[in-house]
């Protein structure tokens, strides 16, 4: 079976600065010793082509950092990562847009960066505009004239409709109003029916996760606790959270 994503012993550390002055000193004098925060600790897993996998864990566990590493937004401190197909991300959906270019120009720039030809982009251009709810009056105006909501919708539509091979979703369904959110969910459901598309999903909505994914990876304190069938992983996740909740009540 073809592997889409391979992480081998991936660790990510960030420098801990407790003031802007210390951050400046760290930049000017990189040999200065600075305390480190380990966000990921020796993470390893493989995802096959066509799998639907959820990263599960509380805020700060390292889920989003994994997605950013896979997306190329950041790099690991150590370890190896192999990505074998094109990645479309539904996180930081407006990242990389130029406010000086028009909405249409940004569609072609982003589409090209995702590996599509001008012909391929042209074929889906109208679908992107319709999905993003951008009128013909606005699409040829500079992006700096758009509202933040319009920019987010455009970014979401481009990444969702530009023929994803690996689709990464991180709570991005909060974009727009309830109607747009429902439209996004339905579109992802349609895309997920294609057996060749790999989905990596992060959400705190257990019901929604189970609609999209059949495998889960539970991450706690920067390490993998369990990797397996989605119901079994959620059972372990909920059990550990319940134990922690009771301990907190006892301490208080």
């Amino acid at each position: 079976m073809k592997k889409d994503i391979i992480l081998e012993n991936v660790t990510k550390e960030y420098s801990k600065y407790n003031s802007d002055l210390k951050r400046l000193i760290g930049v000017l004098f990189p040999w200065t010793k600075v305390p480190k925060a380990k966000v990921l600790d020796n993470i390893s897993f493989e995802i096959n082509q066509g799998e639907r996998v959820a990263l599960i864990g509380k805020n700060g566990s390292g889920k989003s950092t994994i997605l950013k590493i896979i997306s190329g937004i950041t790099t690991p401190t150590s370890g190896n990562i192999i990505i074998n197909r094109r990645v479309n991300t539904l996180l930081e959906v407006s990242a990389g847009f130029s406010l000086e270019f028009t909405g249409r120009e940004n569609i072609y720039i982003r589409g090209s960066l995702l590996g599509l030809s001008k012909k391929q982009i042209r074929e889906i251009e109208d679908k992107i505009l319709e999905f993003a709810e951008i009128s013909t009056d606005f699409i040829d105006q500079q992006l700096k004239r758009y509202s933040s909501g319009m920019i987010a919708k455009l970014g979401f539509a481009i990444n969702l409709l530009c023929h994803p091979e690996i689709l990464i979703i991180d709570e991005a369904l909060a974009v727009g109003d309830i109607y747009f959110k429902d439209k996004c969910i339905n579109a992802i459901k349609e895309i997920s029916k294609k057996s060749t598309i790999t989905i990596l999903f992060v959400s705190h909505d257990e019901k929604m996760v189970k609609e999209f994914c059949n495998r889960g990876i539970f991450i706690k304190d920067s390490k993998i606790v369990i990797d397996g069938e989605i119901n079994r992983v959620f059972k372990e996740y909920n059990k550990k959270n319940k134990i922690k909740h009771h301990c907190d009540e006892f301490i208080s």
Side-chain angles (χ1 to χ4, degrees), residues 156-175:
F156 195 101
I158 293 170
N159 284 286
L160 189 62
L161 298 178
C162 278
H163 305 308
E165 294 176 343
I166 300 172
L167 184 61
I168 292 180
I169 310 165
D170 181 15
E171 301 288 7
L173 300 181
V175 171

Side-chain angles (χ1 to χ4, degrees), residues 176-195:
D177 52 28
I178 294 175
Y179 166 76
F180 189 78
K181 179 178 178 179
D182 288 342
K183 184 165 69 170
C184 294
I185 292 171
N186 290 331
I188 293 171
K189 284 180 180 178
E190 285 301 311
I191 288 174
S192 67
K193 291 177 182 178
K194 299 178 181 178
S195 60

Side-chain angles (χ1 to χ4, degrees), residues 3 36 40 50 68 76-77 79 97 108 127 147 149 159 164-165 168 171 173-174 202 205 215 225 250:
K3 307 289 184 185
K36 301 288 185 180
L40 297 176
K68 288 178 180 179
T77 305
F97 276 162
Y108 278 82
K127 291 181 180 179
S147 69
N159 284 286
E165 294 176 343
I168 292 180
E171 301 288 7
L173 300 181
V202 166
D205 188 330
R215 173 185 167 194
V225 177
F250 180 75

Side-chain angles (χ1 to χ4, degrees), residues 85-98:
R85 291 199 299 160
R86 185 175 64 247
V87 175
N88 291 28
T89 67
L90 300 184
L91 59 145
E92 301 184 12
V93 289
S94 58
F97 276 162
S98 172

Side-chain angles (χ1 to χ4, degrees), residues 83-151:
I83 308 296
N84 289 319
R85 291 199 299 160
R86 185 175 64 247
V87 175
N88 291 28
T89 67
L90 300 184
L91 59 145
E92 301 184 12
V93 289
S94 58
F97 276 162
S98 172
L99 297 180
E100 297 302 318
F101 290 141
T102 68
R104 195 186 305 276
E105 288 169 335
N106 274 287
I107 290 174
Y108 278 82
I109 292 169
R110 177 66 66 84
S112 297
L113 292 173
L114 290 171
L116 273 64
S117 66
K118 285 186 178 180
K119 180 182 178 181
Q120 288 175 310
I121 299 169
R122 197 176 299 117
E123 288 172 351
I124 59 174
E125 183 179 346
D126 289 342
K127 291 181 180 179
I128 290 172
L129 298 186
E130 181 182 356
F131 193 93
E133 302 168 356
I134 306 292
S135 69
T136 53
D137 294 332
F138 263 97
I139 193 58
D140 289 312
Q141 293 192 30
Q142 290 175 303
L143 218 62
K144 64 184 179 182
R145 302 186 185 280
Y146 288 32
S147 69
S148 58
M150 290 171 66
I151 294 173

Side-chain angles (χ1 to χ4, degrees), residues 206-223:
E206 181 175 343
K207 182 180 178 182
M208 185 183 297
V209 167
K210 288 181 177 179
E211 281 190 60
F212 293 114
C213 304
N214 50 23
R215 173 185 167 194
I217 300 175
F218 172 23
I219 300 171
K220 186 177 188 297
D221 299 330
S222 308
K223 296 183 178 182

Side-chain angles (χ1 to χ4, degrees), residues 6 10-11 13 19 95 110 120 153 166 199:
I6 302 172
V10 169
T11 293
E13 294 179 337
S19 70
R110 177 66 66 84
Q120 288 175 310
K153 286 182 177 181
I166 300 172
I199 293 179

